[in-house]
Amino acid sequence: MKFPDRGDSKISLGISSCLLGQKVRFDGNHKLDTLLTGTLGQYFEWVPVCPEVAIGLGIPRPPIRLVGSTAAPRAVGVKDASIDVTDKLAAYGKQQARKLTDLSGYVFKSRSPSCGMERVKVYQHAGVPAKRGRGIYADAFLSGQPWLPAEEEGRLSDPRLRENFIERVFVYHRWQEFTVQGLTASRLVEFHTRHKLALMAHDVEAYRALGRLVAQAGRRNLKESGHEYLLQMMQAFQRLATPARHANVLMHLMGYLKKYLDADDKAELLGMIHAYRRGAAPFAAPLILLKHHFRRHPDPYIADQTYLNLDPRELMLRGGL
């Protein structure tokens, strides 16, 4: 299965403008994040958005916060509760979700009453604020694109969360390229097959459920099937892969080599997989061995798996695995 060759073109990601160093915050400052502008910025093209400025709030401006129910909070002024921008932020989020359909991911500003994805403070009339809210703009945007890989800048400092986000971005980017060519039942099978091992490392049951969905695609409305597949697939990839699940996939890969490897090669590879599973070796160790053996004994099915054959940009961003 071949995808369009876009050369070195950068992948587009949405981002809260303040994280790029733009002085758009309520106090006229920014929240420059050098991981985003430096490391990730080498490979991603950022599409900055500040919803508060976009809806007409000035710089500087009176700060806002979430108040009321955690399920349906209002965004109002901290000092002047008559300032209520909830509806404007929600409307702008819905508008941007319809407009920015070429994005392959989004990085939101954490704890923001407009952009925070989770654990945003919601104030009541009395007592300690509940950290269970979601920014009004972020909620509206992601409700419009629920499959979009999204993360907060603070969580990206965690290596596992960062790798997971990057993997999701590239999976979704491949889906976007795939659908440009048109969606057919057979091509949906091809896409699913190509991501089999990667899905198994995240959620085996989800992989099986997606397989059943794909098998029925030819007998259902194809557009609906594709939409359902995309949503379930991206939810599956959001579950963090673990050493145990990776080790199971590595063992699965080893099965394709059993008739080619001698006893010493098998023992070396098996030992490396077990060492990785118990934390005594990095993931790259068994992966490099497997790739070495598959170079000597090519398998067309394995050659088409994204698990072993990543986009070079993804490989770099994920630390070379």
Side-chain angles (χ1 to χ4, degrees), residues 163 201 242-243 246-247 249-250 272 276 281-290 307-308 318 320-321:
E163 181 173 317
T242 65
H246 271 307
V249 173
L250 295 170
M272 196 63 73
Y276 162 68
F283 182 46
L287 205 63
I288 289 171
L289 262 183
L290 280 165
Y307 190 82
L308 279 185
R318 292 173 65 185
L321 292 178

Side-chain angles (χ1 to χ4, degrees), residues 23-43:
K23 296 182 178 181
V24 293
R25 287 177 61 80
F26 73 93
D27 57 4
N29 289 318
H30 60 76
K31 286 290 183 179
L32 176 66
D33 189 301
T34 55
L35 169 66
L36 300 175
T37 58
T39 304
L40 301 189
Q42 296 178 56
Y43 302 93

Side-chain angles (χ1 to χ4, degrees), residues 11 30 50 57 65 85 93 95 129 138 140 142 148 191 215 226 228 265 302 320:
I11 297 173
H30 60 76
C50 178
L57 299 181
R65 65 181 182 181
V85 293
Q95 174 191 322
L142 294 175
L148 186 72
F191 187 93
E228 187 176 346
D265 284 337
I302 299 302

Side-chain angles (χ1 to χ4, degrees), residues 3-16:
F3 286 86
D5 182 6
R6 296 193 177 183
D8 296 325
S9 61
K10 291 187 176 182
I11 297 173
S12 296
L13 269 64
I15 191 170
S16 296

